[in-house]
Every structure is written in structure tokens, then in C-alpha cells.
Amino acid sequence: YNEYKSYLRTMTKERDRTISTAAEEEILSQLRQNLAQISSSVENEEKRTKVEKEMSNFYRLYSKWRSGISDDLVWSKIKPLPESMLQGYSSLREVDKSDKTSISKLLNKLVVLKLNGGLGTGMGLGTVGPKSLIQVRDGATFLDITIQQIGSLNETYNVDVPLVLMNSLNTDNETKKALNKYKGSNVQVLTYLQSYYPRIERETLLPYINNYEDLQGNEGWYPPGHGDLYESLYNSGLLDRLIEEGKEIIFISNIDNLGATVDLNILSHIVKGGCNSQFIAEVTNKTRADVKGGTLIEYEGCVKLLELAQVPKDKVDEFKCVQKFKIFNTNNLWINLRGIKERVEAGGISRDVIVNHKTLDDGRNIVQLETAVGAAIKNFSGAFAINVPRSRFLPVKQTSDLLLVMSNLYSLENGIIKMSPLRMFPTTPLVKLGAEFKSIKNFLKRFDSIPDLLELDHLTVTGDVQFGKDISLRGTVIIIANHGEKIDIPPNSLLENKILSGNLRILDH
């Protein structure tokens, strides 16, 4: 009797598996029809070919998600990067800046690519324009600073390092308008549009749109994360063009990371130092502000990107521990162009699928599948990381970051942001600004001028606070305006290790 019950359980499982497989095959069949309909809606033949490639890439991503191929990691197999996969920046040979001929040869092999798909939502700009057009220092935008930096290299070494911008549908038009003022510059700026994939209804597991032409402003479409870089660069034709022009290395970074400048020591190590790797990632040491940041690990003998979203809940504290995971990923990447081409043509670059569940404004529950650019590292044998100085990671994600960059902590010269030599500590202050400072508009209104931050360690400000001109903040400063109250910091004030409360009392910290 027990054997008969066991037999029935086995048969039930087999039946359920068969039903499940049949249901998945039916969904995939419907998806193929849906994507074919989307592609056929494009009238222009050249554009239709591009869309067909995008829909093919989307189908592969979707199939991987639905097939149950798991990107889950076995925690016991995760190891910090060994020395063989992690090189210290100080071990790199210093490039002789006076040898302009050798440096020119290096730079002529280089392409700089900036990820330019983001909006300034983290700074209260909503969907108004690209983040790269926000003014961040001396009236210059992220885009201005990037072009200044590359232009200085091109002029100094008489080279032609091109700048490539991977735009999204949200940033493409405004970015191209902003580039008009650089038509006579010595920087060749190339742009291409990253892919757009159809959002999936959570109930049907299928896209709810069937027309590609209605792309602008349509919530049925989304950019699938910066991991799309490889396929979209290939499909744009720019990858082949750059290779034909003799370019070999592409340096990729977020456009809002002001520390991600061309580093000649790293470039020389790749081209001349006997480095056989086609993929090098920059990492830096974790601080209190970075404990949630992704890190690089060794997993079954390979380098792999580990993001917080992949960590089991009971292992999150271990992931945040700087004793075990001492480094985090800066998203500054140096990759061989032919290596990208070979892998895309061989069937694609495998990346972990990031599944995002969202609810749209119309109440529709959707799923969107994304990938991260750094996750491609596992496809390149021999890939490794370089532990770079903290100065190569200076992102501006929020107005608290903007306050630091606009202050006298930094100077801007030829597109390079440098920390002031007058700063006695190598680390930047920890700044926390309340909701009243979140948007750039409100942030700028609350500072008559940016305070002196050279000797600041920690600043917390919440509530209705107004800063006068020529204020100096030193040590730890905490300013809290209680609900319904306002604090005005008078001009020329010096606050050093002070707690300023809503009743205007000043206490020693």
C-alpha cells in the first residue's frame, strides 16, 4: 500500500511538471507572436531590423527568467577576492607624463563611454531632463565636465579620444540639444540609444502592448538597465566602427561619478603591462556609506558581481561587514572591444536577471527584467579587479553629495575634480540632509552661499533651516529645526562640534 501511495505521488508530480511545462511553452509561444507583431509594426525597414534584434534579446532574457535557470548563489561558496584576482593600485607602474609620444599611442587605443540614461529623480527633478545636464560645479554640468576632461587629454597629447554616450529615450533628445555647443570642440561625441523592452503584466506574464511606434511617454516600455550596454552598442553599429578605427579598450562609468576620469596608469597596465585580461573592474575600500554597495567575489573560481538584492536575508549583516567584504564595485570598467564583439556574436553575454515588480500610475501591476553592466564580468576568463583610491569614486546621487562637490573641499581643473590640499583628512565628510533639502531647487534656496567644509567630519540637518553667507562648519554639526520652527544660521557663523536645536540653543557636542 505504501509503495502504491509513493507511486501515486510520483505520478502526480510528473503530471504537474508536464502541465507546468506545457503552460510555459504556451506562454513563450504567445510571447513570440506578440514580439513579432511589435516588430512588424515598424514601417522603416532599417529600424525594423534593429527592433527585431532588440526583441530577440528580450526574448532570451525572458526565457532565462521563466525557465527557472537560477542565478541564486550558494552562500557557502562565496569567497572574498583572493590576491590573484585583486590588484592594488599602488602596484601599477607610474606612467612618465613627459613621454607624450608613448601616452599618445595609449590614448589612441581608448574610447570613453558614459552611462547617460538617468534622470535627476534622486534630486527632486522628476522626469524633467537628463541628470547629466544638472550644474554641479562652477556652473558646469556633468556633461560639461566630462567633455572638458577628454578635451584636455586630446589637446595635451594630440590624440582623438572619442566620447560615447549611451542615452535612454528619456535623455536622448535633450542631450543631443546640449551637445550642439560642442560641435566645434576637439572631442568627437557619439551617441546611441539603449534598448527598450516591453513591460510584462504580472497576471498574464505577457506584454500588454503590440506597437513599437508609440514609444515616447508610453509606460508599456522601459530601458532594461545599463547591462544592456553590450548588445545595444553592438546593434548600433558603433562597436564595429570603433574597432575599425583602431580602438581597443573602452572605459565605462556612470556620468554622475565625477571621480571616473581616464587613468593613464590603468590604461598602460592593460595595453603595455602584459595584462591578458579583457575585463577589469575598479573597486575601492568600503566606508560606512558603502555597506549596501555591490561587491566583487570569487565564486567557483571566477570573479562575480554580488549585489545586495542577491543576498539571503539572514546573510545581509555578513554582507555589510567590512571585515569580510572590504571592497565594493565602483562601476568603473575597462573592457576589450573585441572581447565584447566576440561574446555577443557567440550568442550573447550572460548576466544575472534582476526582476523588478512595479505598479504603474494606472494601477497596473507589471514586471520588468533588467541587468547590470558589471555582472558581465563572469563571462571573461582572467577578469580581475584593481583596488583604486577613493578619489576615483565621487558619485553625485543626492543633494548631500552635491553640497560636498560645490564646496571648497574640491576644485575643478580641466574637467578633473580634486580634493583641496588644505583638507587634513583623506576621507570626505558624512552629510545627511533632510527632506527639505531633497530637491535641487529647495537645496539652493536654503544656502545663501555654500559653507566652508574643509574641517567638517559629519553634518546632519533636518527641518526648516536657512544658511547665511560665509558660514564655516567644523567637526560634527547637527542642526534640527522642530516642526513649525525655523532656524536661521547668521552670516559669518562658525559652528564647531555643535548641536543646534529648534529653540536656538547651542550645545557642545
Side-chain angles (χ1 to χ4, degrees):
Y1 177 73
N2 288 335
E3 289 180 0
Y4 178 66
K5 287 174 61 178
S6 176
Y7 168 76
L8 287 179
R9 282 196 299 268
T10 301
M11 293 300 294
T12 301
K13 289 180 180 178
E14 290 295 329
R15 182 200 65 193
D16 292 345
R17 187 180 297 116
T18 301
I19 293 173
S20 176
T21 302
E24 289 294 337
E25 289 177 352
E26 176 61 25
I27 289 173
L28 290 176
S29 175
Q30 290 182 40
L31 178 65
R32 287 193 294 270
Q33 295 176 29
N34 189 298
L35 299 181
Q37 186 174 1
I38 289 173
S39 298
S40 63
S41 71
V42 181
E43 295 182 0
N44 180 276
E45 186 175 348
E46 182 179 348
K47 185 178 179 181
R48 189 188 315 125
T49 300
K50 178 179 179 293
V51 173
E52 287 172 349
K53 291 178 180 178
E54 289 185 0
M55 295 304 100
S56 176
N57 291 333
F58 172 73
Y59 181 79
R60 279 200 295 269
L61 189 66
Y62 183 99
S63 298
K64 182 178 181 182
W65 171 52
R66 295 304 303 167
S67 67
I69 297 175
S70 177
D71 293 313
D72 293 341
L73 303 176
V74 178
W75 191 258
S76 60
K77 295 183 179 181
I78 292 174
K79 301 176 183 177
L81 281 187
E83 291 184 5
S84 60
M85 296 179 178
L86 180 62
Q87 186 166 358
Y89 181 84
S90 60
S91 68
L92 303 182
R93 180 177 296 179
E94 187 78 24
V95 169
D96 181 3
K97 299 289 180 62
S98 65
D99 188 358
K100 291 191 175 182
T101 301
S102 295
I103 293 176
S104 296
K105 290 180 180 178
L106 288 174
L107 289 173
N108 277 325
K109 298 177 184 292
L110 181 68
V111 179
V112 174
L113 187 148
K114 295 291 183 179
L115 304 171
N116 186 46
L119 301 169
T121 51
M123 297 189 197
L125 291 183
T127 58
V128 183
K131 184 178 182 181
S132 58
L133 302 185
I134 295 173
Q135 293 184 3
V136 288
R137 177 81 201 194
D138 301 339
T141 65
F142 290 107
L143 182 58
D144 293 333
I145 291 172
T146 300
I147 292 178
Q148 286 175 22
Q149 193 252 333
I150 298 176
S152 178
L153 278 177
N154 287 342
E155 181 179 357
T156 301
Y157 298 103
N158 192 28
V159 293
D160 181 21
V161 176
L163 169 64
V164 178
L165 300 174
M166 184 176 83
N167 298 336
S168 69
L169 195 68
N170 296 321
T171 64
D172 192 50
N173 289 335
E174 292 301 316
T175 297
K176 287 178 177 176
K177 290 178 184 177
L179 289 173
N180 285 331
K181 66 178 179 179
Y182 291 107
K183 283 185 177 179
S185 75
N186 65 343
V187 179
Q188 178 189 190
V189 183
L190 307 170
T191 67
Y192 73 97
L193 197 62
Q194 74 172 112
S195 301
Y196 262 71
Y197 290 169
R199 282 181 167 136
I200 305 160
E201 274 196 297
R202 207 177 300 177
E203 289 185 10
T204 65
L205 297 178
L206 292 168
Y208 62 88
I209 51 173
N210 53 24
N211 191 305
Y212 189 84
E213 298 295 347
D214 188 21
L215 203 60
Q216 186 73 45
N218 191 327
E219 285 195 325
W221 296 92
Y222 73 99
H226 46 55
D228 170 64
L229 179 148
Y230 306 100
E231 288 82 5
S232 58
L233 179 63
Y234 179 89
N235 291 338
S236 72
L238 278 180
L239 181 60
D240 283 334
R241 171 180 166 180
L242 294 169
I243 292 174
E244 289 171 3
E245 292 176 355
K247 305 303 181 184
E248 297 179 9
I249 306 297
I250 189 166
F251 172 48
I252 301 166
S253 63
N254 297 332
I255 200 164
D256 65 1
N257 179 6
L258 295 175
T261 59
V262 173
D263 188 283
L264 295 175
N265 294 340
I266 296 177
L267 180 60
S268 177
H269 181 68
I270 295 170
V271 177
K272 298 171 61 178
C275 172
N276 295 320
S277 176
Q278 293 186 325
F279 194 118
I280 296 174
E282 293 185 35
V283 297
T284 195
N285 293 336
K286 277 188 177 183
T287 66
R288 287 176 296 173
D290 315 310
V291 292
K292 295 182 179 180
T295 188
L296 293 181
I297 58 171
E298 180 190 4
Y299 192 80
E300 297 182 334
C302 297
V303 182
K304 190 175 177 69
L305 177 65
L306 176 64
E307 298 282 8
L308 179 61
Q310 298 171 281
V311 178
K313 290 183 179 180
D314 62 336
K315 302 295 183 181
V316 168
D317 289 341
E318 185 178 344
F319 173 79
K320 293 180 180 180
C321 178
V322 295
Q323 278 73 37
K324 179 170 184 178
F325 299 107
K326 300 178 181 180
I327 58 173
F328 74 97
N329 174 40
T330 65
N331 220 33
N332 299 347
L333 308 172
W334 302 76
I335 310 177
N336 183 279
L337 288 170
R338 290 191 181 276
I340 295 175
K341 178 179 170 67
E342 290 167 1
R343 284 160 179 79
V344 171
E345 291 181 341
I349 295 177
S350 174
R351 280 139 296 172
D352 296 347
V353 181
I354 302 169
V355 182
N356 277 339
H357 296 272
K358 293 189 174 185
T359 300
L360 302 182
D361 292 340
D362 62 3
R364 194 189 304 264
N365 294 319
I366 59 96
V367 176
Q368 58 187 50
L369 308 177
E370 303 176 7
T371 58
V373 65
I377 193 170
K378 66 181 182 180
N379 295 267
F380 294 78
S381 60
F384 68 95
I386 297 178
N387 193 346
V388 298
R390 181 75 186 191
S391 58
R392 291 194 55 75
F393 185 70
L394 186 59
V396 181
K397 302 294 185 185
Q398 301 173 357
T399 52
S400 55
D401 304 318
L402 188 60
L403 176 64
L404 295 175
V405 171
M406 294 179 72
S407 76
N408 59 347
L409 278 171
Y410 294 98
S411 62
L412 174 62
E413 184 178 353
N414 296 325
I416 296 178
I417 298 281
K418 293 183 179 180
M419 183 175 284
S420 170
L422 299 178
R423 170 76 174 172
M424 293 184 290
F425 312 102
T427 57
T428 57
L430 181 63
V431 175
K432 298 179 180 179
L433 301 179
E436 298 79 6
F437 293 78
K438 181 177 180 180
S439 75
I440 290 182
K441 183 179 180 181
N442 290 339
F443 166 83
L444 293 174
K445 281 183 178 179
R446 292 185 177 277
F447 291 95
D448 292 345
S449 68
I450 302 299
D452 172 2
L453 305 183
L454 280 176
E455 297 180 41
L456 178 69
D457 296 324
H458 180 183
L459 172 67
T460 295
V461 184
T462 61
D464 188 1
V465 179
Q466 184 72 37
F467 289 81
K469 291 185 176 181
D470 302 321
I471 292 172
S472 295
L473 304 176
R474 300 176 184 175
T476 296
V477 178
I478 301 172
I479 305 172
I480 303 173
N482 296 328
H483 180 69
E485 296 179 337
K486 182 178 181 180
I487 295 179
D488 289 293
I489 311 296
N492 302 305
S493 297
L494 168 61
L495 298 180
E496 183 172 4
N497 294 323
K498 299 295 181 183
I499 299 175
L500 188 58
S501 67
N503 57 16
L504 299 179
R505 288 183 302 155
I506 297 179
L507 308 173
D508 287 326
H509 174 72

